[in-house]
Amino acid sequence: MKSIKLFDSTGLLIGAALTLAACGQSNTNAAKSAKKFPEQTTQKTAQKGGTLNYAIETDTPFKGIFDSQLSVDQVDSDVMQFGNEGLFDTDNSYQINNKGPATFKLDKNAKTITITVKRGVKWSDGKQVVAKDLEYPYEMTANKATNSLRYSDSLENIVGMKAYHNGKAKTISGIQFPNGENGRTIVIHFLSMKPGMLQSGNDYFIETAASYHYLKNIPFSKLVSSDQIRKNPIFFGPYKVSKVVRGQSVTWVPNKYYWRGTPKLSKIVAQVVSTNSASQAIKSHKFDIVDVINSQWQAVKDAKDTKFIAKIPLAYSYLGFKVGKWQDGKNVMNPNSKMNNKSLRQAIAYAMNINQVEKRYTQGLTFRVPTLIPEQFGDYFDKNSKGYPYNLKKASELLDKAGYKKKGKWRVQPNGKPLSIHLAAMSGSAVQEPIIQNYIQQWRKIGLHVSLTGNRLMEFNSFYDKLDQDDKNIDMFIASWSLSSEPSPRGIYSETSAMNDSRFVTKENNKLLNEIDSSKAFNHAYRVKAFHKWQQYMNDEAYIVPMTNSYSIKAVNSKLVNYSLKPAESNSIWYKVGFTK
């Protein structure tokens, strides 16, 4: 599971993947609440047939980019989950096993990984998935014409990848076909082996396939807008696309060639519903699976014929500061940018009353997190990290010492120039506006003139478009990540990651990220220490300030069986889900 940009709806990190744990008083209540929720519905034999209606919660039409390498947002990922099966199954700790569509073999000495797709794993048009289909996503990601945000220096660890990306080679020399392109095996050669390679979601190799026979005649520059990606995508998962109503719904029917067998349902309709309509959708049983918006929990918790299952996903919301630009394939920091003052960033973080906000609006189902590595990652999580607990006095002192003097109502910059800060934040549920306005008032209490970019909250697609394009009217922003199941943060915070939207780059960050993923880090104790050093550094610099994570609760039709949120089930879940009589 790759890191994905989330639609943030205050207590609903929609469709988040895997996640964090609690800190502070408000989390105690949340932990008690979570114990009431199982991670799965009843496990029993389902009858054949039936239509499942699945709610896609978003306040904007989905983009409809139905390919894992070309899309980076969670909403599209949710829409295509019914057909978009990954190459590998995992255990509940996200370690890759050989039970899925492909087998995996790592050779540390040879610096290779061998991936073989199983015989009988077929695209929904009946063609066997072949070696070229395993290799093609690398071309799609690395070719500059696709503008894929998935390309990063993690993939440049593949031999020949950088040369291909820079147009100096027509093929990726480090990916070989021992039995030819129509065989079922590829061997990937790496410059160095990394400790995270045994975990799903590690960013060093791609865990999906792309149907080369179906896409090969489309120029890379036109792939993202093509009908083959937007309107008639093909997958090798249990269901295939029957109908797309652009931005609104996708209807899925069984893939008769599915390698595990025939899925139970006769149809799945994934349809958009607005966040403000979610609670009514649960109570009226319009959908069989609906994400609960945590601020609406009291309104839905007694819904009839409904089961609630939940987990804490690998995700977090965060406050980011724009300190540079994306230029020539890398992040370039501007040392003179408005927000490139550590005391200013730290003061802004201390002024946020996150615990109070979440206690009021989500009954503790959303909670403050202290660091950028989730607690689910065990000892990689720095349990000593305090983050930025609410401290208005400390915030003011930091600004005073750094020379942000008050001139009338507002503080000015140390050079005496006026200081006006523009915050970009997404629209969401009914409580999103008061929560964001609360933070703006908090910052104004310490003399900072903060206002919303464009004077209003932005819809999801517009927000990320402006963020990715480094819009000059964004000084800081509140966004969310659904994280990869391999804990390395390199894929989203490295110098060459287009998803590093703060654009912060330092020699120290590069060094610490390299230590986390070095060959020395095959030693667990060394890697734990490297993770803790990175968290301490990021916490101190405050370019990215972790804010919250949330219990991800789903309301499920009580007649639905075999639906699970457990990692080991995630790749095969839609093959098993069905209704009882």
Side-chain angles (χ1 to χ4, degrees), residues 17-52:
L18 314 165
T19 317
L20 308 149
C23 70
Q25 185 59 44
S26 64
N27 299 329
T28 308
N29 298 331
K32 285 177 184 172
S33 300
K35 287 175 183 173
K36 298 174 187 174
F37 302 118
E39 273 193 302
Q40 59 188 30
T41 61
T42 308
Q43 305 296 291
K44 61 183 347 183
T45 304
Q47 67 178 17
K48 289 185 178 179
T51 295
L52 183 142

Side-chain angles (χ1 to χ4, degrees), residues 113 116 229 233 237 271 293 358 420 542 574:
I113 285 173
T116 301
I229 295 293
Q271 186 173 347
I293 293 175
E358 301 309 338
S420 183
W574 291 111

Side-chain angles (χ1 to χ4, degrees), residues 106-229:
L106 182 146
D107 188 326
K108 198 173 162 186
N109 294 327
K111 296 183 184 176
T112 62
I113 285 173
T114 301
I115 298 170
T116 301
V117 70
K118 292 175 180 173
R119 193 183 302 279
V121 176
K122 295 180 178 181
W123 297 105
S124 53
D125 64 0
K127 288 188 164 53
Q128 167 73 35
V129 178
V130 295
K132 185 65 180 178
D133 300 333
L134 305 183
E135 182 270 347
Y136 200 50
Y138 295 87
E139 293 185 35
M140 290 166 63
T141 307
N143 194 296
K144 289 183 179 180
T146 65
N147 292 312
S148 173
L149 294 179
R150 294 284 184 200
Y151 189 78
S152 70
D153 59 0
S154 297
L155 284 176
E156 286 186 351
N157 185 42
I158 295 172
V159 172
M161 181 64 88
K162 193 170 183 179
Y164 178 81
H165 179 65
N166 292 330
K168 294 177 180 176
K170 289 186 177 180
T171 59
I172 302 164
S173 60
I175 303 179
Q176 296 177 340
F177 306 96
N179 304 312
E181 292 186 359
N182 289 319
R184 292 182 288 110
T185 299
I186 60 169
V187 178
I188 307 172
H189 294 257
F190 296 93
L191 299 170
S192 60
M193 300 306 279
K194 305 293 181 180
M197 285 177 170
L198 295 171
Q199 290 282 113
S200 176
N202 60 62
D203 284 338
Y204 287 105
F205 55 88
I206 293 170
E207 297 177 45
T208 55
S211 48
Y212 178 69
H213 71 277
Y214 190 60
L215 301 174
K216 64 182 179 183
N217 295 324
I218 306 165
F220 281 122
S221 62
K222 294 183 178 176
L223 257 182
V224 77
S225 59
S226 69
D227 281 355
Q228 287 90 329
I229 295 293

Side-chain angles (χ1 to χ4, degrees), residues 72-89:
V72 291
D73 73 61
Q74 185 68 42
V75 180
D76 277 355
S77 183
D78 287 347
V79 175
M80 62 179 163
Q81 65 181 300
F82 313 100
N84 190 34
E85 190 165 311
L87 289 173
F88 308 112
D89 286 8

Side-chain angles (χ1 to χ4, degrees), residues 551-581:
Y551 285 91
S552 177
I553 308 168
K554 290 185 183 288
V556 182
N557 181 334
S558 58
K559 291 181 181 175
L560 202 69
V561 294
N562 304 333
Y563 182 61
S564 175
L565 303 178
K566 293 183 177 181
E569 303 285 343
S570 62
N571 211 34
S572 60
I573 193 63
W574 291 111
Y575 165 59
K576 300 173 182 176
V577 168
F579 292 102
T580 56
K581 289 180 182 178

